Each structure stands twice: as structure tokens, then as C-alpha cells.
Amino acid sequence: MQLFLDTANLEEISEIASWGVLDGVTTNPSLVSKESGWDFKKLVKEICKIVPGPVSAECVSEDAEALLKEGRDIATWAENVVVKCPLTPAGLSACSKLAKDGIKVNVTLCFSVNQALLAARAGAYFISPFVGRLDDINQDGAALVEQIAEMYHVQGIETQVLAASIRTPMHVEKAALAGADACTMPYKVFKQLVSHPLTETGLKNFLADWKKAHPAVATQK
Ligand code: G3P
């Protein structure tokens, strides 16, 4: 499973990119709007320079023709940009034409298997089922990821499942076990993935024992 950051914040992206494990980035209009003072196009182009992998930038138009026009423009911003369209009739229409242009589309705001089937038929490169928002209304978001992955496998569909709306490390674990191709998460969750108290305690004790047995070397450093 590829690991993506769900943010438009350049500092967060740069920090996690330095770990050597960041495969891509997803943004959305709310995340971009948090980065005050930034032009959308310039911000996305900066993100695309930091991360060589897929960077999703979402259209904000509402009708099919405007979505198509906006998506074709966004596609010119960088080699690794992915156009994001909503799972609506207008979004499917734009996706189907963008896909025929050879443009990668991430169809977002997916909350059902049938929606994921429609997105695949429209030529989506990624489908983004929103795990956290389903959990928020007491439905099983991780189960949806598993069902979509299974349906795509059974149907021989190549659209990639990008688990989104991730709230906790447990969501990441469940997405991986459910067979998601990628998982996009907030910076906070990414940082939680690497942390474990036993790792920290274990390393501290290793180094303390080493320094005790090698006092001369320890003081040289
Ligand atoms: O960016 C798409 C998705 O990950 C956002 O989900 O629920 O955190 O707003 P949410």
C-alpha cells in the first residue's frame, strides 16, 4: 500500500518526504483554503516539486463542462498532478472525458460500492472512499474499502483504491489489511504511525548500555 499525505501544507509535506516513505499527496478545497496567501496553482506546483509521486488537486467547478475545462487546465500544472473530481453525474462526465485524454483522475467523496463501480466505468485512476466520515455516522468505513477492493478484483478493474478521510493509525492498518492500493492521511496520523513507547524506551536503553560499556567512545561523539 502506498502512503500519501492529506494536506496542502508544504512544511508537513517536506518533513514526511524526508523520511523516504512518502508516495504521494492529496489535497482538497478545504485543505488548500487553510494555506492562506497561496495561489492554488502555485501551491500545487510547489507540492509537485517536493513529491515526485501522484499529487491530487481538486476541481471546484460544479457543472460537467466547467469541471472538464478546469481539469484539463490542472492537468497541465505538473507531470505528476492528478485531477480530483467529485462522485456526481457532472464529476463522472468530466472524469470519462479526462480519462480519454489520458489524464489521471482521482474520483473523490465515495461512500458506496456502487459509486466506486461508476467511477471505475468512468475511467477513474483512483477512487477515494471516505473511511472517517462513514465511521462518523456509525457506518463501517474500513468495510467499504474492503468491499470496493474485492469488487474491483472480481471485476478485473484496474482503478486504484485510495483510502481517504483517515482519522487514526488503526484506519491505516485496516486499509492495508483491506487491500487498499494507497492510503492518504493527515500529518498527525503519519507521525503517529512511526511512534511506539517501547521503541523509544528500547533505543534509550540500548544507547545507555553502549555508553556505559564504551565510555571513551561515547564522550568523543
Ligand atoms: O482529502 C480527502 C479526504 O481525505 C478528506 O477527508 O474527512 O478528513 O475531510 P476528511
Side-chain angles (χ1 to χ4, degrees), residues 6-7 26-28 30-31 58 84 108 128 130 132-133 136 163-167 184-186:
D6 199 25
T7 183
T26 53
T27 69
N28 65 42
S30 302
L31 292 171
E58 190 161 341
K84 233 181 179 182
T108 189
S128 289
F130 277 35
R133 294 195 191 185
D136 291 345
S165 185
I166 297 296
R167 302 269 195 276
T184 193
M185 70 198 85

Side-chain angles (χ1 to χ4, degrees), residues 22-34:
L22 186 61
D23 297 302
V25 169
T26 53
T27 69
N28 65 42
S30 302
L31 292 171
V32 170
S33 301
K34 284 179 182 175

Side-chain angles (χ1 to χ4, degrees), residues 31 39 88 113 118 122 149 167 179 184 197 210 214:
L31 292 171
D39 166 77
T88 60
V113 174
L118 288 169
R167 302 269 195 276
T184 193
W210 180 262
H214 304 80

Side-chain angles (χ1 to χ4, degrees), residues 13-136:
I13 294 166
S14 298
E15 179 184 339
I16 303 299
S18 72
W19 294 8
V21 297
L22 186 61
D23 297 302
V25 169
T26 53
T27 69
N28 65 42
S30 302
L31 292 171
V32 170
S33 301
K34 284 179 182 175
E35 304 306 310
S36 56
W38 271 96
D39 166 77
F40 180 31
K41 180 175 180 178
K42 285 182 179 158
L43 181 57
V44 170
K45 286 166 78 91
E46 283 304 308
I47 296 171
C48 288
K49 286 177 195 168
I50 300 170
V51 182
V55 174
S56 291
E58 190 161 341
C59 299
V60 292
S61 303
E62 293 181 50
D63 65 79
E65 190 178 338
L67 278 168
L68 178 59
K69 183 168 183 275
E70 189 181 3
R72 283 174 169 157
D73 176 46
I74 289 173
T76 67
W77 294 358
E79 281 297 312
N80 55 321
V81 78
V82 173
V83 175
K84 233 181 179 182
C85 291
L87 222 157
T88 60
L92 291 173
S93 172
C95 177
S96 64
K97 295 179 176 67
L98 291 167
K100 288 186 177 74
D101 289 353
I103 293 168
K104 291 178 179 173
V105 181
N106 176 0
V107 175
T108 189
L109 287 163
C110 173
F111 295 96
S112 75
V113 174
N114 284 333
Q115 282 184 321
L117 180 58
L118 288 169
R121 299 302 301 147
Y125 185 78
F126 287 118
I127 182 65
S128 289
F130 277 35
V131 176
R133 294 195 191 185
L134 282 169
D135 286 9
D136 291 345

